[in-house]
């Protein structure tokens, strides 16, 4: 059974907005679809919201925030976003590109010079670009972290991560192979 799911409804096979229907009716239909899909997929708990003009105008919760304790999902529920944050990091990079602040082909060392200390047997750290990091083809191992780090506790400063660069290893020639990398997206952030 799925323990944690964040359902992002980007496109639906339902006429959410049409001239014949009111916005309220469309939102109610979307809420009903959300409930149906969460039930069909046996999702323990989730939430959806609609934001208009920067304000939350509709919120819907489904199921439990904690299945074992039978705690109902509410506006106060904090969900584990996990890899969904990679989407937002990538969008931010693309917006910076669109505003002329960076190029996807810039090497990471342009922004993080200390990344040159990376354990790279190919001696081509300059070839690790923002584009390769976004596409999980920079050569970085997914399990590159030399220490057991918790993803559920915030790091207080960049200074905690930077000294670890010499212990991060390039596993294969940058740009030659896809290999999922949490580290790559963390560095983009």
């Amino acid at each position: 059974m799925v323990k944690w799911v964040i359902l992002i409804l980007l496109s639906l096979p339902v006429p959410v907005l049409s001239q014949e229907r009111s916005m309220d009716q469309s939102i109610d239909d979307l809420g009903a679809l959300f409930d149906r899909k969460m039930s069909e997929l046996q999702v323990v708990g989730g939430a959806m919201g609609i934001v208009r003009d920067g304000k939350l105008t509709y919120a819907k919760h489904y199921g439990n925030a904690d299945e074992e304790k039978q705690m109902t999902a509410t506006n106060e529920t904090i969900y584990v976003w996990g890899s969904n944050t990679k989407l937002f990091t990538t969008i931010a990079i693309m917006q910076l590109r669109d505003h002329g602040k960076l190029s996807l082909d810039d090497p990471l060392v342009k922004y993080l010079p200390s990344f040159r200390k990376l354990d790279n047997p190919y001696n081509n750290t300059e070839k690790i670009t923002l584009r390769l990091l976004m596409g999980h083809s920079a050569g970085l191992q997914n399990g590159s972290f030399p220490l057991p780090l918790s993803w559920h506790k915030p790091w207080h400063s960049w200074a905690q991560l930077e000294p670890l660069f010499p212990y991060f290893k390039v596993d294969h020639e940058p740009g030659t192979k896809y290999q999922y990398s949490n580290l790559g997206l963390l560095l983009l952030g």
Side-chain angles (χ1 to χ4, degrees):
M1 180 170 298
V2 177
K3 293 288 183 187
W4 294 96
V5 171
I6 294 177
L7 184 62
I8 299 175
L9 301 171
L10 297 176
S11 86
L12 300 168
V14 116
V16 174
L17 294 175
S18 71
Q19 293 176 350
E20 295 88 35
R21 305 178 67 202
S22 73
M23 176 66 86
D24 290 339
Q25 182 60 49
S26 295
I27 290 172
D28 288 343
D29 289 351
L30 182 61
L33 175 64
F34 175 75
D35 283 344
R36 232 178 14 260
K37 288 298 181 184
M38 296 293 274
S39 178
E40 285 173 19
L41 297 171
Q42 298 180 343
V43 175
V44 172
M48 67 169 273
I50 297 177
V51 177
R52 278 192 252 173
D53 299 322
K55 294 183 180 160
L56 181 65
T57 59
Y58 179 84
K60 180 129 183 96
H61 307 283
Y62 177 88
N64 294 314
D66 186 318
E67 186 178 29
E68 288 179 18
K69 297 178 183 174
Q70 291 295 298
M71 293 173 55
T72 303
T74 69
N75 278 345
E76 304 302 315
T77 301
I78 298 173
Y79 293 94
V80 177
W81 282 73
S83 289
N84 287 310
T85 59
K86 289 175 176 64
L87 171 67
F88 298 108
T89 300
T90 302
I91 289 170
I93 294 291
M94 297 304 286
Q95 288 175 334
L96 290 168
R97 184 220 42 198
D98 291 350
H99 285 60
K101 304 283 185 189
L102 57 77
S103 166
L104 298 182
D105 295 315
D106 286 342
L108 180 63
V109 295
K110 177 177 179 179
Y111 305 99
L112 297 175
S114 57
F115 192 65
R116 284 184 179 90
K117 296 176 184 173
L118 178 75
D119 179 6
N120 184 351
Y122 303 99
N123 296 316
N124 60 358
T125 305
E126 295 280 339
K127 289 185 179 179
I128 298 176
T129 64
L130 305 182
R131 181 185 309 272
L132 293 179
L133 290 165
M134 289 172 62
H136 297 277
S137 58
L140 302 176
Q141 296 172 300
N142 188 35
S144 292
F145 291 107
L147 302 171
L149 299 174
S150 171
W151 295 106
H152 304 288
K153 294 179 184 174
W155 293 340
H156 297 286
S157 72
W158 180 252
Q160 290 177 292
L161 182 62
E162 204 168 22
L164 300 177
F165 285 169
Y167 303 99
F168 295 152
K169 183 169 176 52
V170 174
D171 194 38
H172 58 271
E173 183 82 28
T176 62
K177 177 180 162 187
Y178 171 87
Q179 185 167 330
Y180 191 84
S181 174
N182 285 316
L183 174 62
L185 271 286
L186 180 139
L187 293 168
L188 285 172

